[in-house]
Amino acid sequence: MFSETASQKSTVAEAAFGRVLTAMVTPFDAAGQLDQPGAAELVRWLCRDGWNDGVVVNGTTGESFATSNWEKASMVHAASIVLQGTGKKVIAGVGSADTAHSIALAEEAAAQYADGLLVVAPYYSRPSQAGLLRHFLAVADSTDLPVMLYDIPKRTGVAISPQTLAAASRHPRIVAVKDAKGDLESTSKVIAETGLAYYSGDDALNLPLLSVGAVGFVSVVGHVAAHRLSALLAAYSEGRVKDALEIHRSLLPVYSGAFRCPAAASVKALLNRLGLPSGPVRLPLVDLTEEEAGLFVQDAETAGLSDALLPAAAQ
């Protein structure tokens, strides 16, 4: 079992990151340029009372693969200014295929007052487990910010092994994992053996991951359902498992609908309909057609999110 020091990681992570986080889109204007004032407005809307404990910027849903270093820094800055003094958190995605680049992004995020870092496994190069560990430790050593590792092999091409997670957990600033591996047995063992705080990175597995010890969510559907995710988390934490299951089942249509097309495009289509800053996606992604967007709106309405789909000005 994990040591007393490791057992404190969940407490540290919850204080550092919160429990319900939305992996936020990066708003662009009609010309496809970064909409920094729009980003601030969207952060404010997502972190209103009863919704998110914070936001993750510059992740996959934030189209980090298509934004410049300056744009990434601007996103962190915009979110940090809005949330300063509120207790809400800004987690900066600093993922890259290149360790030196990830370190540079981490240092800039710290300079822009991020509260924590999200570090995905390097993609495309498919490094060995030894390479993964050295990458994570190097990024964690580069700032004083707490680190959440991101395990999503279907995108990166390499899974973080339980042994590598255990070794990484010995670093004092590596305190959490965003889990989108879909292997509940492995996740259960890592939580038990390391004390790492696990966050669901796959909305459809939010409740199952809570059942094996996860502490929260880094969600895509949190853009329109963070209040329901907060209710699910509260119900489960209070032992009202039947209520949590009811919320989980009700959200299944929007869980699946968000990923029918690339999630960034789906969320932006919905936010645009709500009159919220969003704009287009950047190539290689393409915007949803009217038919595709209409289907996702139907998914959200089927999930009981009609109130959340009111124009922002009416909320």
Side-chain angles (χ1 to χ4, degrees):
M1 295 299 289
F2 52 84
S3 67
E4 183 177 354
T5 299
S7 71
Q8 297 169 357
K9 285 186 179 285
S10 288
T11 300
V12 171
E14 290 176 38
F17 304 128
R19 300 186 72 183
V20 178
L21 303 164
T22 285
M24 196 179 97
V25 299
T26 298
F28 301 130
D29 61 24
Q33 301 303 306
L34 179 67
D35 180 3
Q36 193 170 4
E41 181 183 344
L42 185 56
V43 169
R44 191 174 295 110
W45 189 81
L46 289 172
C47 292
R48 64 199 191 276
D49 288 347
W51 276 59
N52 289 283
D53 297 326
V55 292
V56 175
V57 297
N58 302 330
T60 308
T61 311
E63 298 176 76
S64 60
F65 47 83
T67 57
S68 69
N69 288 4
W70 177 85
E71 289 171 324
K72 290 178 174 67
S74 297
M75 285 296 296
V76 177
H77 180 79
S80 297
I81 292 298
V82 168
L83 298 182
Q84 185 176 22
T86 66
K88 308 276 187 169
K89 307 299 182 180
V90 180
I91 314 305
V94 296
S96 173
D98 169 19
T99 302
H101 188 202
S102 284
I103 289 172
L105 293 174
E107 292 172 341
E108 184 60 34
Q112 299 300 333
Y113 308 106
D115 296 293
L117 304 175
L118 178 69
V119 185
V120 71
Y123 40 83
Y124 187 71
S125 60
R126 300 185 67 187
S128 67
Q129 293 299 311
L132 284 177
L133 180 60
R134 289 181 62 180
H135 174 84
F136 295 141
L137 297 180
V139 178
D141 281 339
S142 68
T143 79
D144 293 328
L145 295 176
V147 171
M148 180 187 297
L149 304 183
Y150 187 10
D151 193 7
I152 182 165
K154 64 187 175 184
R155 288 190 183 275
T156 64
V158 59
I160 310 172
S161 75
Q163 294 77 18
T164 300
L165 289 166
S169 74
R170 300 187 187 104
H171 193 290
R173 285 187 291 280
I174 297 178
V175 296
V177 177
K178 178 184 176 184
D179 183 31
K181 186 184 289 182
D183 184 345
L184 294 179
E185 180 181 2
S186 175
T187 294
S188 301
K189 291 177 179 177
V190 173
I191 292 171
E193 293 172 3
T194 69
L196 285 166
Y198 262 66
Y199 288 75
S200 172
D202 185 345
D203 276 309
L205 294 182
N206 285 344
L207 180 57
L209 278 164
L210 287 181
S211 74
V212 299
V215 302
F217 318 127
V218 178
S219 171
V220 171
V221 304
H223 283 91
V224 291
H227 57 316
R228 296 279 292 281
L229 297 179
S230 294
L232 187 159
L233 183 58
Y236 188 85
S237 299
E238 294 164 7
R240 296 183 285 111
V241 177
K242 184 177 180 180
D243 293 341
L245 180 58
E246 183 178 343
I247 296 169
H248 168 74
R249 287 174 173 167
S250 72
L251 290 172
L252 288 174
V254 75
Y255 286 168
S256 59
F259 295 94
R260 183 182 297 112
C261 301
S266 297
V267 171
K268 283 191 166 186
L270 203 53
L271 294 178
N272 282 326
R273 290 192 175 208
L274 293 174
L276 286 160
S278 181
V281 292
R282 286 179 176 170
L283 288 171
L285 301 185
V286 295
D287 295 323
L288 266 58
T289 65
E290 281 297 316
E291 181 180 1
E292 289 168 338
L295 284 174
F296 188 39
V297 170
Q298 290 176 21
D299 296 326
E301 290 176 341
T302 301
L305 294 171
S306 296
D307 289 346
L309 299 181
L310 292 172
Q315 298 188 37

